[in-house]
Amino acid sequence: MQKVAAPVVMLQNYPMATDPIRPTDDEARSLARSLMTQAKHAAVAVVDDGAPTVSRIAFGLDPVGRPITLISDLSHHTRALRLNPTCSVLIGDPGTKGDPLTYPRLTLQATVAFIDHDVPQYAEMAAHYLRDHPKAKLYIGFGDFHFARFDVTTGYLNGGFGKAFVLSPKDLGLA
């Protein structure tokens, strides 16, 4: 049996390297969806004045399984998202033992769509969100709070050491 060479990619300003991305399979899809389902918080990266800024956010899924957060107009990242809705969301926590880089995590590249109080689906989304985030009941009705839905364009799953995958919205169950 003839051995096939690993594919190589040219990384800008770097020498040739073996492509670390594995073909997406059902195990990767399941792990990514599990990370999204279990997450109660995440980190969102936004572009502000041409530079990236990262903030911790509450995280959940809307009634049909799309990623959302409840977000205040008073926060810096909300103002940045209103100017430029392109962002990334990092989901996944390291465990309590071992190397934190061996634990799975998922980065979602997305654009944000805001759902305001006057939109008919706000009430249904709020009831659904409060099941997983009951403390949000204290502020979910405040006028400066809105839902931000992340319309995912690409997912990058690091399933642990040597387990990197690129996922489409369809792979994530979002198509």
Side-chain angles (χ1 to χ4, degrees), residues 57-104:
I57 58 170
F59 181 86
L61 300 176
D62 74 4
V64 296
R66 295 173 298 192
I68 60 170
T69 189
L70 183 63
I71 196 166
S72 170
D73 284 334
L74 301 176
S75 68
H76 189 80
H77 54 275
T78 302
R79 290 181 288 217
L81 285 168
R82 292 228 186 246
L83 293 172
N84 180 353
T86 303
C87 63
S88 289
V89 178
L90 176 64
I91 304 162
D93 289 322
T96 58
K97 295 182 180 181
D99 184 345
L101 297 179
T102 62
Y103 289 89

Side-chain angles (χ1 to χ4, degrees), residues 48-63:
D48 180 41
D49 289 329
T53 301
V54 179
S55 298
R56 184 176 310 277
I57 58 170
F59 181 86
L61 300 176
D62 74 4

Side-chain angles (χ1 to χ4, degrees), residues 70-71 115-123 139-147:
L70 183 63
I71 196 166
I115 296 122
D116 298 327
H117 291 264
D118 60 348
V119 174
Q121 72 243 41
Y122 189 91
Y139 47 84
I140 199 166
F142 290 178
D144 63 299
F145 276 86
H146 315 275
F147 283 105

Side-chain angles (χ1 to χ4, degrees), residues 25-32 157 163 165:
D25 56 20
D26 287 341
E27 185 177 339
R29 291 179 190 96
S30 177
L31 177 56
L157 174 66
K163 297 177 183 176
F165 303 90

Side-chain angles (χ1 to χ4, degrees), residues 24 106-109 152-157 165-169 172:
T24 301
L106 175 66
T107 298
L108 303 173
Q109 288 184 330
V152 176
T153 56
T154 306
Y156 297 98
L157 174 66
F165 303 90
V166 177
L167 297 103
S168 69
L172 295 166

